[in-house]
């Protein structure tokens, strides 16, 4: 209604800093067409380190003729022990040609790629803002997750092997 409004800002974030082991392999098989191969590639990482994360909530609620309700809250966890696990897979086609001027091959590659990145550690918690003025009620909550991401896509690559 006229004279009533709600303004909310919710944010969260995280970061990871660590070291570990990265490993991978590729399998390539010739196809029926000259210079053409099918391939499968897998890569992974297992890392130990520390995370920083935060959750923030801020807002304002106004309802005439009352005074506005405003507030903000932030929770954070810094330098918390955590592990990061990464898995990446590619499946695709590759064309390869021998160069005449160099003892090398040039390749063109396209593939489907899937990646999974997952940070495991202690949760941060969350921050909320809310309140009621007259008949206008607002509640919000921001929670900081450590991180879990899945990515899918098509890749195109070119390069040299020798």
């Amino acid at each position: 209604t006229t004279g009533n409004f709600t303004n909310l800002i919710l944010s969260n974030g995280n970061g990871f800093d660590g070291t570990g082991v990265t490993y991978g392999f590729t399998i390539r098989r010739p196809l029926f067409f000259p210079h053409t191969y099918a391939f499968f590639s897998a890569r992974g990482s297992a890392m130990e380190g520390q995370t920083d994360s935060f959750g923030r909530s801020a807002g304002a609620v106004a309802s005439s003729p009352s005074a506005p309700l405003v507030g903000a809250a932030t929770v954070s966890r810094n330098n918390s022990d955590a592990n990061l696990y990464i898995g990446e897979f590619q499946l695709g086609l590759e064309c390869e040609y021998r160069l005449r001027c160099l003892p090398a091959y040039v390749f063109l590659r396209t593939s489907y790629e899937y990646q999974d990145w997952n940070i495991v550690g202690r949760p941060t918690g969350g921050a909320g803002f809310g309140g009621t003025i007259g008949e206008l009620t607002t509640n919000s909550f921001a929670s900081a997750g450590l991180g879990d991401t899945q990515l899918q896509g098509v890749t195109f690559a070119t390069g040299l092997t020798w």
Side-chain angles (χ1 to χ4, degrees):
T1 60
T2 304
N4 297 338
F5 77 88
T6 301
N7 183 23
L8 297 173
I9 299 170
L10 306 173
S11 60
N12 59 33
N14 71 310
F16 177 86
D17 185 22
T19 59
V21 177
T22 298
Y23 45 89
F25 69 91
T26 300
I27 298 171
R28 195 173 83 150
R29 176 128 177 109
L31 295 178
F32 302 109
F33 307 105
H35 311 286
T36 306
Y37 301 86
F39 74 93
F40 173 78
S41 176
R43 296 179 305 271
S45 297
M47 295 184 244
E48 293 182 3
Q50 296 182 326
T51 60
D52 295 337
S53 56
F54 73 90
R56 181 175 299 133
S57 178
V61 179
S63 179
S64 235
S66 301
L69 172 66
V70 296
T74 301
V75 295
S76 62
R77 183 180 304 276
N78 295 322
N79 300 317
S80 180
D81 291 339
N83 295 315
L84 171 61
Y85 301 103
I86 301 172
E88 301 177 356
F89 305 96
Q90 284 185 334
L91 179 63
L93 296 173
E94 177 177 298
C95 294
E96 180 180 81
Y97 298 95
R98 182 173 182 80
L99 296 175
R100 294 177 191 237
C101 59
L102 295 172
Y105 291 85
V106 63
F107 67 86
L108 303 169
R109 179 184 282 188
T110 185
S111 65
Y112 164 79
E113 183 165 347
Y114 173 80
Q115 297 183 10
D116 182 33
W117 295 51
N118 189 19
I119 300 174
V120 178
R122 294 178 61 198
T124 301
F129 169 78
T132 301
I133 296 179
E135 295 187 20
L136 182 62
T137 300
T138 302
N139 290 305
S140 65
F141 187 77
S143 177
L146 291 180
D148 186 15
T149 301
Q150 288 86 33
L151 306 167
Q152 299 183 60
V154 176
T155 64
F156 299 98
T158 185
L160 294 173
T161 57
W162 66 92

